[in-house]
């Protein structure tokens, strides 16, 4: 939605960068990335969009994006939320044949799992043109992710005579949470020569993760 909302007249150039430099921080990854260079003066106006989807098993996602440009000031921001629930089940039957006697030992293993994921976050930015050659911007973002999981595995094995050799139920409960936040401020200065740009960037980021996993085995 954010890309569709950008008028072509607001773009100064589009760069495809195969090996992003340090100025793109962790966002660049290993590349390639597409860098959209905006014009100093953008078309005045505002834009907003809201999306929402709902599915079975309590699944849903919703997001909203908005932007405003007036004079030398440009502001944009987005909010999102998502809940995803996934389950699985399986059964495996094995027969082990003794090559010497032909006796058959069997085992049956069944498994089930349920995993729920909740995610929410926001991001926003403010850009201001100080003049014909200088642009300052401030950006902030926050993301939260919670994952809950419950799984079980039942195993039952017998020997060639049919007697039970192994019989157990293993249960696992997982609870994980992750939080990340980013705050940045930057200054772009356009030089006198064509394509001459000086950029300075200050970033502060924080990440916190917690996990709790409990196992139970019943033989």
């Amino acid at each position: 939605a954010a890309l569709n909302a950008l008028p072509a007249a607001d773009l100064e150039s589009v760069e495809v960068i195969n090996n992003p430099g340090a100025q793109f921080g962790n966002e660049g990854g290993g590349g390639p990335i597409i860098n959209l260079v905006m014009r100093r003066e953008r078309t005045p106006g505002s834009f907003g969009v809201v999306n929402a989807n709902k599915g079975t098993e309590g699944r849903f996602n919703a997001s909203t994006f908005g932007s405003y440009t007036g004079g030398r000031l440009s502001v944009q921001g987005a909010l999102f939320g998502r809940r995803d629930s996934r389950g699985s089940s399986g059964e495996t039957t094995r027969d082990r044949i003794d090559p010497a006697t032909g006796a058959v030992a069997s085992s049956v293993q069944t498994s089930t799992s349920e995993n729920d994921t909740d995610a929410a976050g926001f991001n926003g930015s403010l850009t201001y043109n100080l003049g014909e050659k200088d642009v300052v911007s401030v950006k902030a973002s926050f993301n939260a992710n919670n994952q809950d999981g419950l799984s079980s595995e039942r195993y039952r094995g017998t020997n060639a005579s049919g007697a039970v050799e192994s019989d157990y139920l293993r249960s696992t409960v997982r609870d994980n949470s992750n939080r990340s936040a980013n705050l940045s401020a930057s200054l772009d200065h356009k030089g006198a020569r064509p394509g001459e740009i000086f950029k300075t960037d200050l970033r502060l980021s924080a990440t916190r993760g917690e996990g709790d996993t409990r196992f139970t085995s019943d033989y």
Side-chain angles (χ1 to χ4, degrees):
L3 292 176
N4 289 334
L6 292 176
D10 286 354
L11 290 173
E12 182 170 316
S13 64
V14 178
E15 300 174 298
V16 179
I17 306 175
N18 291 319
N19 298 302
Q23 69 268 32
F24 295 101
N26 293 331
E27 299 172 358
I33 66 171
I34 298 177
N35 183 33
L36 304 179
V37 182
M38 310 301 296
R39 294 188 183 277
R40 292 297 191 263
E41 296 291 341
R42 300 183 188 177
T43 304
S46 59
F47 171 82
V49 63
V50 176
N51 293 309
N53 296 279
K54 190 178 188 307
T56 59
E57 306 296 332
R59 299 183 183 94
F60 78 88
N61 69 74
S63 63
T64 178
F65 170 84
S67 65
Y68 168 78
T69 299
R72 297 186 176 189
L73 177 68
S74 179
V75 181
Q76 66 178 30
L79 295 169
F80 74 90
R82 178 184 179 91
R83 178 174 178 82
D84 193 11
S85 179
R86 298 182 182 273
S88 64
S89 62
E91 179 176 301
T92 303
T93 301
R94 292 186 176 92
D95 291 330
R96 300 184 300 277
I97 303 174
D98 189 326
T101 64
V104 179
S106 302
S107 66
V108 177
Q109 179 178 339
T110 58
S111 61
T112 61
S113 68
E114 292 288 340
N115 296 281
D116 297 325
T117 301
D118 294 313
F122 74 87
N123 62 75
S125 66
L126 183 150
T127 303
Y128 186 78
N129 293 344
L130 294 176
E132 295 297 326
K133 296 184 178 182
D134 296 295
V135 177
V136 294
S137 62
V138 178
K139 300 178 182 179
S141 66
F142 176 79
N143 293 282
N145 185 290
N146 295 314
Q147 293 181 326
D148 299 324
L150 175 64
S151 62
S152 64
E153 176 187 296
R154 179 66 185 268
Y155 178 87
R156 181 181 175 89
T158 61
N159 57 22
S161 64
V164 177
E165 286 185 326
S166 180
D167 189 359
Y168 60 84
L169 174 66
R170 288 178 177 168
S171 302
T172 305
V173 178
R174 295 183 175 88
D175 184 8
N176 299 316
S177 65
N178 294 280
R179 304 287 186 271
S180 63
N182 291 275
L183 179 65
S184 66
S186 63
L187 169 65
D188 292 359
H189 174 74
K190 180 182 291 188
R193 298 179 181 179
E196 188 178 47
I197 299 177
F198 171 77
K199 296 184 178 183
T200 179
D201 194 13
L202 176 65
R203 300 191 181 204
L204 177 65
S205 62
T207 302
R208 180 177 180 179
E210 296 179 349
D212 181 21
T213 306
R214 298 179 294 279
F215 302 95
T216 303
S217 298
D218 183 11
Y219 294 92

